[in-house]
Structure formats: structure tokens, C-alpha cells
Amino acid sequence: MLFCWLYLYLVLQKFHRDLPPTPVFAYGLSRKTATIPGPTIEALHAIHTHITWKNYLPAKHILPWDPTIPTAIPHKKKGIPTVVHLHGGIDEPQSDGHSSSWFTAEFKESGPSWTKKEYHYHNLQHPGTLWYHDHAMGLTRVNILAGLLGAYIIRQPHVETPLRLPYGDEFDRPLVVFDRSFSTDGSIFMNSTGNNPLIHPQWQPEYFGDAIVVNGKAWPFMIVGKRKYRFRIINASNARFFRFYFSEDGLGFIHIGSDSAYHDKPVLINKLLLAPSEIADVVVDFSKLTSDSTILSNDASYPYPSGDPVNEANSKLMKFIIKPNHEVDKKKIPSELIKYPSPDPSSASVTRYIAMYEYTSSIDEPTFLYINGKPFEAPATETPKVGSMEIWNVINLTEDNHPLHIHLGLFVALDQTELVNIDEFKACMTKANDAIKCRLDKYARGKKIEVPAHEKGWKNVYKMMPGYVTKIVVRFSYIHTNESYPFDATAEPGYAYHCHVSNPLY
């Protein structure tokens, strides 16, 4: 077992040479080493990790936040609440980072479901890439914007080594990508006035920054050799989708894993669409380039898919400078990776209908975004059994693409079907909130969208297209063994599923 402490501090970080140092919240082993993103935690499969997260954040937040939405507020109103969620981790509910399990500096105050200082991560799941981030109720967005995020990797050497993928700190790199806006004094800029200030003085449903930050630097560069590199790309933005591509024709991505799971076979793609909180595990082969540099670019509109086109500042993300070298990279990406058992939808024990609603003001600005017409703090309505498999039909009645994240269980997307006469169906759902009573089968008969080849495997986030029903099959057991969990998954405070953009958590 591994025991360690990670601290949360207010520090200064320089994001760009032309910017003054920026006050941020950061994870680290000490104040001197705390950075954004936080340290990449590497765990070995089946070796348990115990982490005590120590809150040394100041009494006052560096960003504006809105207490009119459900928010973690200490009784004495002193200190900044935080709690850490290991995104993609399959662990006990007491260590999952429930939004009401927050705590302030030195654990002086805590939320109603907080029970323990030391979190226990079992690392018994399949190998892959995860990330950790703040998850406090109502403060998740501002705490992450302030910097509370980092990468977490589970390795299983006897399974992964035979694949002969790029390995080592130089050739196997997380790329944590997010957007921020900065004031001239270097501070992170966030609008302090909400879209509906008479309802929510500060809250806005989405945040879009002008600058793109990769691994803590705005518009960075990386010197690479003419060889293959593995990049674990984590979209840590609040609301910005990225559609990555390279400026050089012919250079693409060898997609080997999605979220925390490997594919059974690599998939070659030229463009990579990644939603907030989604992870792509890719290999890029720079040996094929004839030029001495290439730029990782983005052309996803914001909000996605029907928002504004990207501008010059957020269309260019990162430059790769190719150094001449004499080494010959003879390693090939294997044609077979790791094959996990595919789910059998016919064996699902339950079929559920999950509807996403957006409520707007008289000027058509979003005021609330609910799942199944209920706020996050409402009692749990989905109570699956450990070891079970379920079919979920996720109905997106909003105008935006929403990345749905499910804690504890992994799922496979089956298909997406367009809703016809959606206004009629939406009117019924707004009144009855019952997909069966509103005859979903009558409306879910439009265009079908096939799941892309590189997203057909096991995932913990999927992009729910607006005006579509997305069918997924969810498994509540380990995907590589189908074994049950070694902890009580029914214990309090339970687990969550939520959109990773517009909800009280984010």
C-alpha cells in the first residue's frame, strides 16, 4: 500500500512569459512544489493508494461565486470548502468525493456527508488514465477554474508492457488542456455578473476563456524527436469542447484508449472531438513529418455544436518543434490492444429514461438545468444493484451537447437517435416528466448517428447530442473481470451521475 499527503495551497503560477504571475489554487507535496495541474499520480494495479487531502486554502476565494445556487457554505462562513473526486475511479463512496463531503482548512468544518480524512483508492480496475479534481457542491466550477485538478494513471505492467507503446516520462505524457481568461495583472478573469442577475447574481451556465493552457502554460511548445509519442489528453475545461487536429496534412492520431479504458484495436483518426472531462489516449508519430514543426489546432465552436466559431487565440493550442535525430523508431503499434468483454444489452436487468431539461428566463437565458426535472440535492432516483447491467436512454432536451459522467459504473454507447417533432415531445415532457407516457417511441424515429469507431469501447463520459436520445448500456462491476467490488457500494453518501458542464457541481 502507498500512503501520502497532498496539500491544497494558494500559490503564484506564471502561465505565459508576457503575463505577471497568477494567483491560483494548486495541489502539491509542498507549497513550493504545488502547480497547475497538480502532480501526476501513478498507481500500480492492485496496489492500494491512501491519500489525505490537506486543505490550506485561504479564507477568501480568488474568484466570484454565487450562493444562490446550491452551494457548500461553512456555518461560520470562513474557509473555502473543497473535496476531491477521482474521475473514473471505482472506489468506496466515502472516498468518491461526494459534493456534500467537503471540508475546510484543517478539517475545521465539513459537509453533512463527510466521514474521513484519508481516502482509499483500491486501483483494482483496468489500467488507464483518470484525473482528480475538486467536487464541492456549487464550487466545483470556480475551484477547478482556480486550479484544483491533476492527472492519475493506473498501470498494469504485465498487461501493458507486451503492447510496446511509448513509455517513460519523455515519451508518455499527460496533456491537460483547458481555457482561461486573464486580466492584465495576471489574475484569472471571471465575469462577476450572471446572465440573470436578478435570479442568480453571478452564476453563468458556461465559462469560456480566451487563452488555451496545456500543462500549466498558455500556448506552449514541446520539442520532440522523429518518433512516436503517447499523449493522454484530458479536457479539463468547464464548457469548451476541443476538436483537435494537426496543421500538417497527413499527421493524425492513433487512438488507443477512451477515458480510462484501452480499445481492443487502435483506430486512426485525423480529428479528435473531446468534451469537457473526456479523456483520449493517443499515439502521434512525428517521424512521418517532413517539416520541422506542427501545431495542434482546434476548430470546435463554443458552445458546441451551435455556438461561435473559434478565433485565432483559441484555434492554436500547442506547437511541436521537431528536432533532427538519428535514432530510428522501429516500434509498431500492435494491431491488437486489450480486449474487454462486450456488454450484452439483452441481459440488462433494468431500462431507465434519463431526461436533461433546461429552464430559461423571460429573455431566454438559462436559469436551471435539471436531470429528470430534479435538482442535484433531490433524493436518489436511480439505485442500481452491484453486479448488474442496465440500459439508459438519455434524452437531451436542451440546445447544447452535454458530456454525461457516471460515477462507479462504466458504459458502452450503442446509438443516438434524433427526436422528431421535438417541441411537441418537449411540451409533454415538461408537463408529465415521463418518457413512456409521452410516447418516446413515437418521437425517437429520426436520423440515427452511429457511434464513432474510437468511442465504441468502455467509457465514463459520453457526449449527449442535443435533440437526440442516446442509448447506453451501463455495467456496475469491473469490466475486465466482471467481478463485484471489494467495498460496500451501497454505503452513504452514495454516488452521482451528472453533466460535466452545467450543473451545481461544475
Side-chain angles (χ1 to χ4, degrees), residues 460-495:
N460 58 58
V461 175
Y462 198 76
K463 299 175 278 288
M464 304 297 164
M465 292 180 60
Y468 278 74
V469 179
T470 304
K471 181 179 287 189
I472 62 175
V473 54
V474 193
R475 178 186 281 178
F476 295 97
S477 60
Y478 292 117
I479 64 168
H480 60 306
T481 62
N482 203 27
E483 293 178 0
S484 189
Y485 309 128
F487 50 84
D488 182 5
T490 67
E492 295 294 337
Y495 300 91

Side-chain angles (χ1 to χ4, degrees), residues 386-398:
V386 172
S388 67
M389 188 179 296
E390 299 189 350
I391 297 290
W392 288 21
N393 294 282
V394 184
I395 307 162
N396 187 351
L397 299 176
T398 78

